[in-house]
């Protein structure tokens, strides 16, 4: 099967699954409690992505997961975020610490 057919098939499936929702979305009223719960989804998803990556949970079952550059870079980024409340500073500190530690550890 060619890549073009796979991409077209995925696009069609995506279209079929999403279009009906968009067509009736303005008629659906979401309860306030559901809206409040959905406001926490970005934080929960971001945490679910970052924590396993920072701890290398899939790569170090022997407990050495605590000694990795990504964990220290994550801690530095969280500290920068709390101190500066600036997204660019948080990203710069996190990436800077990660790159420096990876360069030092080889």
């Amino acid at each position: 099967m060619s890549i073009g057919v796979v991409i077209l098939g995925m696009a069609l499936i995506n279209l079929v699954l999403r279009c009906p929702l968009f067509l009736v979305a303005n008629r659906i009223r979401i309860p306030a409690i559901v809206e409040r719960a959905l406001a926490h989804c970005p934080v929960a998803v971001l945490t679910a992505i970052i924590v396993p990556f920072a701890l290398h949970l899939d790569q170090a079952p022997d407990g050495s997961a605590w000694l990795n550059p990504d964990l220290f870079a994550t801690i530095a980024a969280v500290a920068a975020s709390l101190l500066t409340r600036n997204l660019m500073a948080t990203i710069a500190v996190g990436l800077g610490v990660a790159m420096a530690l990876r360069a030092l550890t080889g």
Side-chain angles (χ1 to χ4, degrees), residues 79-99:
S81 174
L82 292 173
L83 291 173
T84 65
R85 301 283 184 196
N86 183 326
L87 181 61
M88 290 306 293
T90 302
I91 293 170
V93 167
L95 285 175
V97 170
M99 290 171 59

Side-chain angles (χ1 to χ4, degrees), residues 4-22:
V5 173
V6 171
I7 292 173
L8 182 63
M10 291 171 60
L12 287 174
I13 289 171
N14 200 358
L15 187 68
V16 167
L17 291 176
R18 290 180 187 229
C19 271
L21 180 62
F22 286 128

Side-chain angles (χ1 to χ4, degrees), residues 41-96:
C41 280
V43 174
V45 169
L46 194 58
T47 303
I49 292 169
I50 290 173
V51 169
F53 178 74
L55 296 180
H56 291 283
L57 295 177
D58 59 336
Q59 298 174 359
D62 62 348
S64 63
W66 296 103
L67 301 172
N68 66 68
D70 296 327
L71 176 61
F72 294 113
T74 302
I75 292 169
V78 168
S81 174
L82 292 173
L83 291 173
T84 65
R85 301 283 184 196
N86 183 326
L87 181 61
M88 290 306 293
T90 302
I91 293 170
V93 167
L95 285 175

Side-chain angles (χ1 to χ4, degrees), residues 22-46:
F22 286 128
L23 292 174
V24 298
N26 62 347
R27 296 183 197 124
I28 297 173
R29 183 75 184 140
I30 298 174
I33 192 166
V34 174
E35 285 185 21
R36 283 192 305 249
L38 288 175
H40 298 287
C41 280
V43 174
V45 169
L46 194 58

